[in-house]
Amino acid sequence: MTIKEEFEQLPLSWKEAFVPATDAEKAEFANFLDELDRLYDENPEATPARENVFRVFRLCPFESVSVVFLGQDPYPNKDWACGLAFAFGNEDRPQQSLANIFTELELEGFSPKGTSLTGWVEQGVLLMNTSLTFVPGHAELIDKWRRYTSRVLEKLSENKDTAFLLLGSAAQKAVKAKGENVFKAGHPSNLYQTAKKYFFPQADKTLFKRCNAFLKSHGRPEIDWSRTK
């Protein structure tokens, strides 16, 4: 299917989050998806595969989102990018950002296994990038995507019981929400790799545990961060 056809297969709640109900906005977004399809035809190294561009939204219903774990853009490698932010297509060799996230989780007492991260998504963790595609030589797509993904983030932030995990300045700038449901830290690609250090600079050194504490205090299930698949 084309990228546009993949989008049309999404539940109505996600489609409405991406695009307002006006005919002009719908036509503009449809033209953007057509442009993406043309670029994919011209660039065999574009990532992720067409069927995975909206994958996270197929796997995680809008009504089920309890944590938004925000990334920037897909891995620039077709064997790695799979449509879920930070997830890694090669189960045997995680990319460094995910390896650093796993190290932090282990320091907090969790035991993540496997790099697909579908176990997180099944629990309501939306592993979303602000740009859903990577096309070599077309950096302008980043800003084009953010016009639409910013709408999704704004819609998600209307639920004050939803937690936001924002690693790095780009993710933090993308989300306007502020308050006890927003958890910030440095981007994992720049983190220390010494086993005796916590990578994140919060005073209590428990980013994921504090996220769970927030969910619990609002009557939502805690995330089993060890369950990655």
Side-chain angles (χ1 to χ4, degrees):
M1 289 194 292
T2 65
I3 295 174
K4 183 193 290 186
E5 289 170 338
E6 292 287 346
F7 176 76
E8 290 301 328
Q9 295 297 314
L10 292 181
L12 181 61
S13 53
W14 280 126
K15 289 193 287 187
E16 290 180 339
F18 269 97
V19 188
T22 66
D23 290 339
E25 292 283 355
K26 288 180 179 179
E28 184 176 309
F29 187 59
N31 289 337
F32 171 58
L33 297 184
D34 284 337
E35 176 191 0
L36 277 175
D37 269 311
R38 288 193 296 271
L39 291 174
Y40 264 60
D41 288 339
E42 298 167 2
N43 292 267
E45 297 305 312
T47 68
R50 280 183 169 91
E51 64 269 21
N52 288 333
V53 171
F54 295 105
R55 180 180 175 224
V56 70
F57 305 101
R58 292 199 308 271
L59 297 180
C60 191
F62 183 90
E63 300 77 11
S64 299
V65 176
S66 60
V67 179
V68 178
F69 199 163
L70 193 61
Q72 297 181 31
D73 48 19
Y75 296 127
N77 185 307
K78 297 183 74 171
D79 293 331
W80 301 355
C82 60
L84 309 181
F86 301 109
F88 195 68
N90 186 330
E91 287 282 341
D92 300 321
R93 187 170 55 86
Q95 194 268 356
Q96 195 60 60
S97 292
L98 183 57
N100 285 334
I101 291 171
F102 278 6
T103 299
E104 170 65 18
L105 284 165
E106 289 165 359
L107 290 168
E108 293 193 22
F110 298 101
S111 302
K113 305 293 183 185
T115 63
S116 71
L117 306 188
T118 52
W120 291 356
V121 176
E122 290 168 359
Q123 297 177 77
V125 180
L126 186 72
L127 295 169
M128 173 184 168
N129 284 312
T130 55
S131 177
L132 302 187
T133 59
F134 168 80
V135 181
H138 289 275
E140 76 279 0
L141 293 176
I142 295 174
D143 287 335
K144 290 184 178 182
W145 266 120
R146 285 175 181 169
R147 177 177 181 182
Y148 300 105
T149 55
S150 64
R151 292 172 176 166
V152 175
L153 293 169
E154 186 173 354
K155 190 70 175 177
L156 288 165
S157 68
E158 292 177 2
N159 186 345
K160 303 304 180 183
D161 294 341
T162 298
F164 286 82
L165 281 175
L166 310 177
L167 307 188
S169 60
Q172 291 160 21
K173 291 177 182 177
V175 175
K176 298 178 181 178
K178 297 180 180 179
E180 63 172 352
N181 63 328
V182 178
F183 302 88
K184 301 179 179 180
H187 193 277
S189 65
N190 299 322
L191 303 179
Y192 296 108
Q193 298 183 47
T194 304
K196 294 182 180 180
K197 290 184 178 179
Y198 286 92
F199 299 131
F200 301 107
Q202 281 72 19
D204 60 355
K205 315 298 186 188
T206 54
L207 182 75
F208 295 95
K209 284 186 175 180
R210 287 186 298 110
C211 177
N212 273 354
F214 167 81
L215 294 174
K216 184 177 181 179
S217 71
H218 286 258
R220 307 197 74 170
E222 298 178 72
I223 303 300
D224 179 1
W225 296 104
S226 297
R227 185 185 146 206
T228 55
K229 61 179 180 179

